[in-house]
Amino acid sequence: MEPTPSRSAPAPRVLVVEDEPEIAALIAYQLTREGFRVETAANGDQALSVIGREVPDLLVLDRMLPGITGDEILKGLRATASTRHLPVLLLTAKREQEDRIHGLELGADDYLTKPFSPRELVLRVRSILRRAEQGGVEAGGRVLRVGQLVLDEHSHSVSMEGVELSLTPTEFRLLHALMEGRGRTQSRRRLLERAWELGSDVVERLQTRTVDMHVRRLRAKLGAAGDWVETVRGFGYRLKAPDGRS
Ligand code: CA
């Protein structure tokens, strides 16, 4: 059994963006039954107006929408400060590997391929919310330091030479994995499991370029510390100490 939220906390608010009324109704019914507050939007414009009014706790987003597509909505959300961390479960009609990878690259927290069981959807939603609540790392409240690079698990912040960096949740978890394993080489597969927190069945299907692309973005954001993230050819990545020793 999932732990029920404490009585004082309001039920998480989920916005379901889906143009097929039957599917939207099914999702809304299931989530409402499980105690979530649910709103629905049939297209991107409606969704953005709901989000603009009040950012929900989670978005269930269909990729194929009339007008603005789910991908475009997701891209916009990730580029906006107030919604950068908004958890998104992407619904996709296609089974193609490319499609899944693309969704994760755009910054979805997870995805579900249609047709899916309502039970599976609820499990995914709960798992994403739990992860978001914990900031994606164990709530240990530790502060990890490598040179002038500082990651605070509690405040979920990262700074380099005293300047706070703006990382996406995936980049944060990726850096966390690298800093925790400082000096050790970590395979792309391991990084996928850590930073994306995906089951091994999904990891099998993902290509390593997803990791490579996020590492590239992370390096760019880390500034001088970007060089500390070393590529171990044919295997993975390693974060070395600024003085060159591990
Ligand atoms: Ca659709």
Side-chain angles (χ1 to χ4, degrees):
M1 279 298 284
E2 294 289 336
T4 43
S6 68
R7 275 182 203 95
S8 56
R13 187 169 150 257
V14 178
L15 174 62
V16 178
V17 190
E18 167 63 80
D19 59 309
E20 290 163 76
E22 295 82 8
I23 298 178
L26 178 70
I27 296 172
Y29 170 76
Q30 189 70 19
L31 288 173
T32 305
R33 224 181 66 163
E34 296 283 334
F36 294 96
R37 290 180 293 156
V38 183
E39 281 178 76
T40 57
N43 58 54
D45 286 329
Q46 270 182 29
L48 293 176
S49 105
V50 171
I51 294 167
R53 216 169 56 228
E54 191 195 345
V55 179
D57 295 303
L58 184 138
L59 201 63
V60 175
L61 178 64
D62 186 31
R63 289 191 75 181
M64 303 292 193
L65 294 168
I68 319 170
T69 67
D71 287 3
E72 286 163 345
I73 294 173
L74 183 53
K75 236 166 135 177
L77 294 174
R78 290 298 175 251
T80 308
S82 60
T83 54
R84 183 164 299 136
H85 301 289
L86 169 59
V88 174
L89 172 61
L90 210 57
L91 302 181
T92 168
K94 298 180 195 164
R95 287 200 165 271
E96 280 83 35
Q97 176 170 275
E98 274 304 306
D99 215 54
R100 293 163 181 248
I101 293 164
H102 188 58
L104 292 172
E105 281 177 354
L106 286 176
D109 295 83
D110 203 350
Y111 57 82
L112 213 46
T113 305
K114 291 178 181 178
F116 51 83
S117 82
R119 181 75 199 135
E120 177 67 15
L121 177 106
V122 169
L123 290 176
R124 299 291 183 99
V125 165
R126 283 198 195 283
S127 140
I128 296 172
L129 285 173
R130 194 164 46 233
R131 219 197 295 166
E133 200 175 299
Q134 294 169 350
V137 297
E138 308 73 42
R142 286 177 303 166
V143 176
L144 305 180
R145 293 171 204 275
V146 176
Q148 289 292 301
L149 186 60
V150 181
L151 181 150
D152 187 328
E153 290 179 346
H154 183 68
S155 66
H156 204 249
S157 62
V158 176
S159 66
M160 174 61 186
E161 291 169 341
V163 180
E164 185 149 344
L165 307 177
S166 171
L167 303 185
T168 64
T170 300
E171 288 164 353
F172 181 86
R173 291 192 294 266
L174 181 57
L175 182 62
H176 186 271
L178 286 166
M179 289 179 81
E180 231 184 5
R182 167 188 178 174
R184 285 202 312 270
T185 301
Q186 306 194 59
S187 69
R188 289 183 175 85
R189 188 196 160 88
R190 163 106 181 117
L191 289 171
L192 270 175
E193 287 174 353
R194 289 289 310 275
W196 279 260
E197 297 186 335
L198 300 169
S200 51
D201 55 325
V202 180
V203 169
E204 291 291 351
R205 296 190 203 102
L206 276 168
Q207 290 173 355
T208 54
R209 69 176 171 90
T210 304
V211 177
D212 298 341
M213 194 196 65
H214 280 84
V215 165
R216 218 160 37 237
R217 286 190 194 157
L218 180 61
R219 272 186 183 136
K221 287 189 182 177
L222 291 178
D227 289 342
W228 304 349
V229 182
E230 292 181 318
T231 304
V232 180
R233 203 164 288 281
F235 189 70
Y237 294 94
R238 171 175 59 205
L239 184 72
K240 62 168 185 177
D243 58 7
R245 290 178 298 142
S246 61

